Amino acid sequence: IACSECGFFYVKNHGADKDVCRQAHEVARQFFALPGDVKMKTGIAADKDVGRGYQPVGKNVTKGRPDMHEALDLMVEKGREEVEGGSLGAILKRHPELTPLVLGRNKWPEEADVPGFKECYERYAEEMLKLGESVMRGMAASLGLEEDFFAKGLTNESFWVMRVIGYPPVDVEGEG
């Protein structure tokens, strides 16, 4: 039913390293517990075209209403030589305005502020890429395709986007 009749599914017993997942949650809590001015050192506002960095509570808007979460947006970091000749390079030739987004660098918290954050999320991204490859193999098999169908030129140039989200306590008067 998943992906053929509905667009969502839940993966459990996925095999991703539980220690890496726990550490990612812990360093995220440490980051979101920092004072606002420290978090803003990684702020997204200065480089909107790059699409990476911190956004405080209320900066994201859904259906005209500010979202009550804060976020740190991260993406895979690729160099120009990595994308040339591949599908990302072809996209950049047709849409050069996307170059800052595709070739941008993440705004990591400073090591002194959250020790190990960058290394932790790099490991976490690797774990999620392995999980994604496994899911794609399963989807191919469920469609009666060769297990590596999606890996043949469709998913071999992963461009991942990750949002680390913090939900601070919110006082809501008159609701509830």
Side-chain angles (χ1 to χ4, degrees):
I1 294 176
C3 298
S4 63
E5 293 181 28
C6 67
F8 297 94
F9 56 90
Y10 181 86
V11 179
K12 64 183 200 175
N13 300 321
H14 46 68
D17 186 312
K18 290 179 182 176
D19 289 333
V20 172
C21 294
R22 272 193 287 275
Q23 186 181 12
H25 286 281
E26 179 55 32
V27 297
R29 279 192 279 283
Q30 291 172 24
F31 175 75
F32 291 120
L34 293 170
D37 62 324
V38 176
K39 291 182 281 192
M40 286 307 295
K41 289 192 287 187
T42 63
I44 201 168
D47 292 317
K48 287 182 186 174
D49 292 344
V50 177
R52 301 158 198 247
Y54 173 72
Q55 298 169 54
V57 173
K59 285 295 180 186
N60 286 281
V61 177
T62 303
K63 294 185 178 181
R65 297 186 68 192
D67 292 330
M68 295 294 104
H69 72 264
E70 53 188 335
L72 179 64
D73 291 337
L74 306 169
M75 297 180 200
V76 67
E77 293 183 321
K78 292 187 179 273
R80 186 171 297 281
E81 64 284 349
E82 291 177 87
V83 300
E84 287 179 354
S87 61
L88 285 174
I91 290 169
L92 292 182
K93 283 182 182 175
R94 288 192 312 273
H95 300 282
E97 71 276 9
L98 296 177
T99 300
L101 179 72
V102 172
L103 299 179
R105 307 324 278 164
N106 288 320
K107 295 180 175 184
W108 299 103
E110 292 181 14
E111 183 68 16
D113 295 330
V114 186
F117 188 98
K118 178 182 179 187
E119 293 77 19
C120 175
Y121 270 91
E122 286 174 338
R123 284 193 311 275
Y124 183 75
E126 289 172 17
E127 286 295 312
M128 295 303 105
L129 284 171
K130 288 190 287 188
L131 174 57
E133 290 167 359
S134 179
V135 168
M136 296 307 290
R137 286 191 303 274
M139 292 176 80
S142 72
L143 294 169
L145 302 169
E146 292 178 33
E147 193 174 281
D148 64 347
F149 175 81
F150 292 111
K152 296 177 184 175
L154 297 174
T155 61
N156 62 343
E157 290 185 63
S158 179
F159 188 88
W160 57 261
V161 177
M162 182 184 324
R163 172 168 275 189
V164 184
I165 299 177
Y167 291 96
V170 178
D171 290 330
V172 180
E173 294 182 26
E175 290 188 24

